[in-house]
Amino acid sequence: MKISFLLALLIPAALHAHPDPSHTLAELDAHLIETPDHQETLRRKAELLLGTGNPAAASPVIGRLLVLDARHADNLLLDARLAYAKGAKDESKAKARSLLNLKPEHAEAWNFLSRLEEEGGHRDAAIAAKRRYLGLTTKPGPWDVLTCPAWLNERHGPGDDESALAILDTGLARLGCLSGLHYAAIPLELKLGLHDSALRRIDVLVARY
């Protein structure tokens, strides 16, 4: 399954767990002058710094967040991401798992752990974590909806094709009619002998595009 090709067909989705793009670093700093311990603003600043590849600058911001609330799940996730950005992947994974022990319903933490497990060569654990994320989030990223079925397709264990198809259909229900998800579902349905359903998807794609 060519994930990069399918993703190119998807309508761009809103990015999760990133600061509001209208807030530049200067604007965030201006807010922090007035309210230096406002946690949401500090988290946005940390997100922006991590997202632009500046973990050294993000470190004191995240450190302050942990002083303010060492048990807030979003602060703990930022701390795990900081460890990853610094190259401490084992520490990052340990922090992500500790966070999930504290708050197992934190969807983004499961998604982050899935990435760490995949990079560590633990495909089964990556799939399990990605499925937890998909089951918890209300609006998954299209990339994640495509990635998990692709991993299941590569693993090709009992029931994996059916699970992959179910994930794609759930993604369509949550995100709307994204062509890449239909394209990923069609070969699965053909493999499973669901020819009528595959033809209906093709009709949808032809009518829509």
Side-chain angles (χ1 to χ4, degrees), residues 16-17 47 73-74 77-78 81 96-97 99-116 125-141 144 174:
H16 297 292
E47 287 277 2
D74 291 340
L77 179 56
L78 283 168
R81 289 178 55 199
R97 286 176 172 164
L99 162 56
L100 287 165
N101 286 334
L102 177 69
K103 192 167 183 180
E105 71 276 15
H106 197 288
E108 291 302 328
W110 283 111
N111 205 26
F112 181 65
L113 180 61
S114 176
R115 173 183 179 180
L116 296 176
I127 290 172
K130 185 72 76 174
R131 294 186 72 171
R132 289 294 299 271
Y133 160 72
L134 292 170
L136 288 165
T137 187
T138 56
K139 195 172 179 65
D144 298 305
R174 292 178 177 176

Side-chain angles (χ1 to χ4, degrees), residues 32-101:
L32 289 169
I33 290 173
E34 299 176 5
T35 53
D37 287 339
H38 189 266
Q39 289 193 58
E40 183 56 34
T41 306
L42 286 168
R43 281 192 287 270
R44 289 181 176 182
K45 181 175 180 178
E47 287 277 2
L48 183 59
L49 291 169
L50 287 175
T52 54
N54 196 348
S59 184
V61 181
I62 296 169
R64 183 58 187 161
L65 282 165
L66 293 173
V67 169
L68 293 170
D69 190 345
R71 290 178 63 83
H72 193 293
D74 291 340
N75 296 347
L76 292 171
L77 179 56
L78 283 168
D79 190 39
R81 289 178 55 199
L82 177 63
Y84 177 85
K86 290 180 175 179
K89 292 187 178 181
D90 289 342
E91 179 186 351
S92 179
K93 185 185 289 189
K95 288 182 174 183
R97 286 176 172 164
S98 177
L99 162 56
L100 287 165
N101 286 334

Side-chain angles (χ1 to χ4, degrees), residues 81-201:
R81 289 178 55 199
L82 177 63
Y84 177 85
K86 290 180 175 179
K89 292 187 178 181
D90 289 342
E91 179 186 351
S92 179
K93 185 185 289 189
K95 288 182 174 183
R97 286 176 172 164
S98 177
L99 162 56
L100 287 165
N101 286 334
L102 177 69
K103 192 167 183 180
E105 71 276 15
H106 197 288
E108 291 302 328
W110 283 111
N111 205 26
F112 181 65
L113 180 61
S114 176
R115 173 183 179 180
L116 296 176
E117 296 289 10
E118 175 64 13
E119 290 184 2
H122 307 127
R123 173 59 60 82
D124 288 348
I127 290 172
K130 185 72 76 174
R131 294 186 72 171
R132 289 294 299 271
Y133 160 72
L134 292 170
L136 288 165
T137 187
T138 56
K139 195 172 179 65
W143 175 261
D144 298 305
V145 178
L146 281 172
T147 297
C148 193
W151 288 347
L152 289 165
N153 185 58
E154 291 173 5
R155 187 173 69 176
H156 200 56
D160 279 350
D161 288 339
E162 291 84 352
S163 294
L165 185 59
I167 289 168
L168 291 167
D169 282 335
T170 300
L172 284 162
R174 292 178 177 176
L175 298 174
C177 187
L178 302 184
S179 59
L181 302 186
H182 279 302
Y183 279 116
I186 289 169
L188 287 170
E189 289 185 324
L190 293 175
K191 188 190 300 187
L192 293 168
L194 303 174
H195 301 100
D196 289 344
S197 182
L199 287 172
R200 284 194 294 272
R201 288 187 196 272

